[in-house]
């Protein structure tokens, strides 16, 4: 039997168990969309290709599967670039299928031709230009394999139009992966034995966990590890939810807007057990003042993350899961014990820091953004999936929605992409129809992909958008307030548009609260409405995110409030 | 830390875009390619690329780790400290005059250079050697009426596997 390239593509997607894609059509992918018309696979038709890639990313983050996105050549492809870079920075497995002009036209500046493999080379884990139909099946399978194996990441496949139309005998399709085997797995036993020694000798150990624990699905092992050792733990923005925020061992997030106690613990520990983190500059701040008294034990699947900025004393280039499993096994063995007295003294010190400067804010008649997040946390019992936009809204969400569950917080950590949260929430809701999904948004960011309201309404996705509307590009304003003499250059966006009317224009539900006492009722109403809901909270315009470590300062150099 | 020239050998799948990936990794991570040479190996599907670049040990290790992450890269080896034989080649076009001809021919003879092409008033010389040999040869020939030259990147092979 003969198959078209488009058919081979869907056969390959089926082999990879991809049942949902996020796509937007165009000339170069007409044959693929024509085949899609006959297929069972579900396409979520977005309104902008950036929406498609972020939705695929959000879908991947909550489902643990590879997200798939399908767009046309030229502008369709370039519209996905921000989202690809976003997935690359946060190590999210997505496969991006782009149409390309016919093979014979490539290189001739044809209509809607763009060298998308060239453009995305530095921000994909790998990319392919399909040159022959014979390669298509194999390439799709390789793409999925590359996207999800090792340190995950985005993979792009550029498919010329003629290839989607040409025919191949099904027996001639090669499905076999031909990838170099770079995963020479070294044994972790020796390193783990050394790690155990370091842990045994440490007087003030601290765990810092990151996105790698979530990507490696090692949250159970992490929880056991912390309990067995009875040590404090802090988790980076990307790692929130891997360890329950409600557990007394947890110190909140470290870094620029981290808690006082997390930053103090980092600055005073004598052993930093770093699990699946890559030491972003927003976490370390001034490098030579980072964990100055600590030996660093770093476990990360990507050897290139090790010793990149923070010098390690012992590193294990491995997935966190097997390392934690082995350590847990050895630690639970009776003969391993840390001196009780030391453990107690360290935990008491950490407790003192917690009591000295807990995360707080001042209530007022005007709505405090922190209060909105806190109330949302209470009303959803911490069980919602939360996505965020970028800016103050993102930091308040991270600080005041106390994440107890893995894969329930999706945020643009590495790239800081305004406009990420809403389409990502759509992807999350598609993956988890049973869950309450809320995008905690800023009035600036939400306008960057607001067109996806049409998508959400179209597919009856009951995503909730909570806009912390401060009339400002708030994070920019905060920096201008602190570092640029309050010259608010082009950061004022003054409560335009009317988000309630805008929601209604799209067929969604719009709600507004302008005073503190309306917050709870508005949230309740929004959460109880089984539709796409936009909640517009007019919050204190000049509220700041605190604590704050000034860029480039030492982590101990925190400003605790205005 | 000391900045010096490093010689890196990279084995790659012979694919159209692999050189672009490697070049992009150098530039994206702030390195300059000082010299490059590439050709197939015993297995024609695999290419060896030898690149020299300036950097201190620590940053070059970071670069090597990034190169290793490229899917089509099979092996990255730092030959700087390995016991490797390194050679370059240069083709030099000389203007021949009554004044320089004898001196040039004598030098070609003593240093075992080669004459690749000979015309009435020009000749093309071939010099191979280590980096320093080539530098010296070029300095000498420059004084002797050199017209132009083309210099290859470093090729290198380890003494032992
Ligand atoms: C695409 C993009 N452009 C610009 C920025 C720079 N930036 C970071 S935060 C921010 C302000 C965001 O404003 P808003 O969404 O209202 O959030 P707020 O800080 O007010 O909560 C800006 C402009 C960015 N992160 N992303
Ligand atoms: Mg704002």
């Amino acid at each position: 039997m003969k198959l078209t390239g488009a058919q081979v593509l869907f056969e390959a997607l089926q082999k990879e168990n991809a049942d949902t894609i996020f796509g937007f059509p165009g000339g170069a992918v007409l044959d693929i969309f024509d085949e899609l018309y006959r297929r069972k696979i579900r396409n979520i038709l977005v309104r902008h290709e950036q929406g498609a890639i972020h939705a695929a990313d959000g879908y991947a983050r909550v489902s643990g599967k590879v997200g798939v996105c399908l767009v046309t050549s030229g502008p369709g492809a370039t519209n996905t670039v921000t989202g690809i870079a976003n997935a690359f920075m946060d190590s999210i497995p997505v496969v991006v299928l782009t149409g390309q002009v016919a093979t014979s036209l490539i290189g001739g500046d044809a209509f809607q031709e763009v060298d998308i493999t060239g453009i995305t080379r530095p921000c994909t884990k790998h990319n392919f230009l399909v040159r022959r139909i014979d390669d298509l099946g194999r390439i799709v399978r390789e793409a999925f394999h590359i996207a999800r194996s090792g340190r995950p990441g985005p993979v792009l496949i550029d498919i010329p139009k003629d290839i989607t139309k040409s025919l191949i005998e099904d027996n001639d399709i090669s499905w076999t992966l031909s990838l170099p085997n770079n995963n020479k797995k070294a044994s972790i036993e020796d390193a783990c034995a050394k790690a155990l020694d370091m842990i045994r000798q440490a007087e003030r150990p601290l765990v810092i966990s990151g996105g790698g624990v979530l990507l490696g699905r090692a949250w159970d092992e992490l929880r056991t590890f912390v309990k067995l050792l009875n040590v404090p733990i802090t988790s980076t923005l990307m790692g929130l939810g891997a360890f329950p925020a409600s557990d007394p061992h947890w110190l909140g997030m470290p870094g620029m807007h981290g808690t006082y106690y997390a930053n103090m613990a980092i600055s005073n520990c004598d052993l930093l057990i770093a699990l699946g983190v890559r030491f972003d500059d927003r976490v370390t701040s001034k490098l030579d003042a980072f964990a100055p008294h600590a030996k660093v034990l770093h476990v990360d699947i990507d050897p290139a993350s090790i010793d990149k900025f923070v010098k390690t004393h012992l590193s294990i280039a491995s997935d966190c899961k097997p390392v934690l499993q082995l350590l847990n096994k050895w630690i639970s063995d009776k003969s391993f014990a840390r001196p009780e007295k030391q453990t107690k003294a360290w935990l008491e010190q950490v407790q003192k820091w917690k009591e000295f400067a807990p995360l707080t804010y001042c209530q007022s008649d005007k709505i405090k953004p922190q209060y909105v997040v806190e109330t949302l946390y209470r009303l959803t019992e911490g069980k919602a999936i939360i996505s965020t936009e970028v800016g103050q809204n993102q930091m308040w969400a991270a600080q005041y929605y106390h994440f107890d569950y893995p894969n329930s917080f999706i945020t643009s950590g590495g790239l800081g992409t305004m406009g990420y949260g809403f389409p990502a929430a759509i992807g999350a809701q598609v993956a988890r129809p049973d869950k309450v999904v809320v995008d905690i948004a800023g009035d600036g960011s939400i306008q960057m992909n607001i067109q996806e309201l049409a998508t959400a309404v179209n597919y009856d996705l009951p995503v909730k958008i909570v806009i912390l509307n401060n009339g400002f590009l708030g994070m920019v304003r905060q920096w201008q307030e602190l570092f640029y003499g309050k010259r608010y250059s082009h950061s004022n966006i003054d409560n335009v548009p009317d988000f309630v009317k805008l929601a209604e224009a799209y067929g969604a539900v719009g709600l507004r609260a302008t005073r503190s006492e309306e917050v709870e009722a508005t949230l309740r109403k929004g959460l109880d409405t089984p539709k796409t809901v936009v909640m517009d909270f007019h919050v204190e315009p000049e509220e700041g995110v605190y604590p704050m470590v000034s860029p480039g300062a030492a982590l101990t150099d925190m400003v605790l409030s205005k | 830390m000391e900045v010096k020239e490093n010689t890196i050998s990279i084995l790659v799948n012979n694919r159209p875009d692999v050189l672009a990936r490697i070049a992009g990794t150098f530039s994206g991570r702030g390195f300059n390619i000082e010299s490059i040479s590439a050709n197939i190996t015993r297995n024609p599907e695999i290419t060896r690329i030898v690149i020299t670049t300036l950097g201190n040990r620590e940053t070059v290790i970071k670069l090597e780790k990034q190169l290793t992450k490229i899917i089509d890269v099979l092996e990255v080896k730092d030959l700087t400290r390995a016991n490797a034989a390194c050679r370059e080649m240069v083709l030099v076009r000389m203007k021949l005059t009554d004044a320089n001809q004898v001196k040039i021919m004598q030098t070609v003879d003593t240093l075992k250079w080669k004459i690749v092409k000979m015309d009435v008033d020009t000749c093309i010389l071939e010099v191979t050697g280590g980096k320093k040999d080539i530098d010296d040869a070029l300095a000498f020939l420059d004084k002797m009426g050199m017209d132009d030259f083309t210099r290859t990147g470093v090729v290198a092979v380890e003494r032992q596997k």
Side-chain angles (χ1 to χ4, degrees), chain B residues 82-102:
Chain B
N83 194 10
C86 299
R87 284 290 179 275
E88 295 174 40
M89 181 172 108
V90 64
L91 293 176
V92 186
R93 187 173 65 233
M94 300 295 298
K95 279 211 184 76
L96 296 180
T97 61
D98 290 345
N100 70 7
Q101 192 150 2
V102 176

Side-chain angles (χ1 to χ4, degrees), chain A residues 179-324:
Chain A
L179 287 172
N181 182 13
N182 285 339
N183 303 336
K184 294 161 214 129
K185 283 232 172 63
S187 157
I188 54 169
E189 292 232 351
D190 290 351
C192 284
K194 286 194 192 124
L196 202 65
D197 271 342
M198 285 172 87
I199 294 168
R200 188 182 284 118
Q201 283 158 24
E203 295 184 5
R204 302 182 306 279
L206 173 71
V207 175
I208 178 169
S209 76
V213 172
L214 291 168
L215 289 162
R217 310 184 83 75
W219 47 83
D220 288 338
E221 289 79 4
L222 176 68
R223 290 162 187 222
T224 311
F225 181 70
V226 171
K227 290 240 162 65
L228 284 174
L229 282 181
N230 195 13
V231 290
I233 170 172
T234 171
S235 305
T236 67
L237 183 73
M238 291 306 296
L240 295 180
F243 192 84
S246 54
D247 187 294
H249 289 95
W250 201 63
L251 304 183
M253 186 172 73
M256 179 174 277
H257 291 298
T259 61
Y260 171 78
Y261 30 102
N263 286 342
M264 288 304 282
I266 289 177
S267 304
N268 288 282
C269 66
D270 70 347
L271 174 65
L272 190 62
I273 307 170
L275 305 171
V277 297
R278 62 177 179 83
F279 293 116
D280 186 274
D281 50 275
R282 285 290 190 267
V283 168
T284 61
S285 210
K286 186 179 180 180
L287 262 181
D288 45 18
F290 180 76
H293 309 293
K295 287 190 173 169
V296 177
L297 159 60
H298 193 181
V299 184
D300 197 89
I301 194 159
D302 181 5
S305 290
I306 290 168
D307 289 323
K308 188 162 73 162
F309 300 120
V310 173
K311 291 268 160 325
T312 60
H313 298 75
L314 177 66
S315 62
I316 310 179
S318 158
D319 223 341
C320 292
K321 197 173 178 115
V323 172
L324 287 174

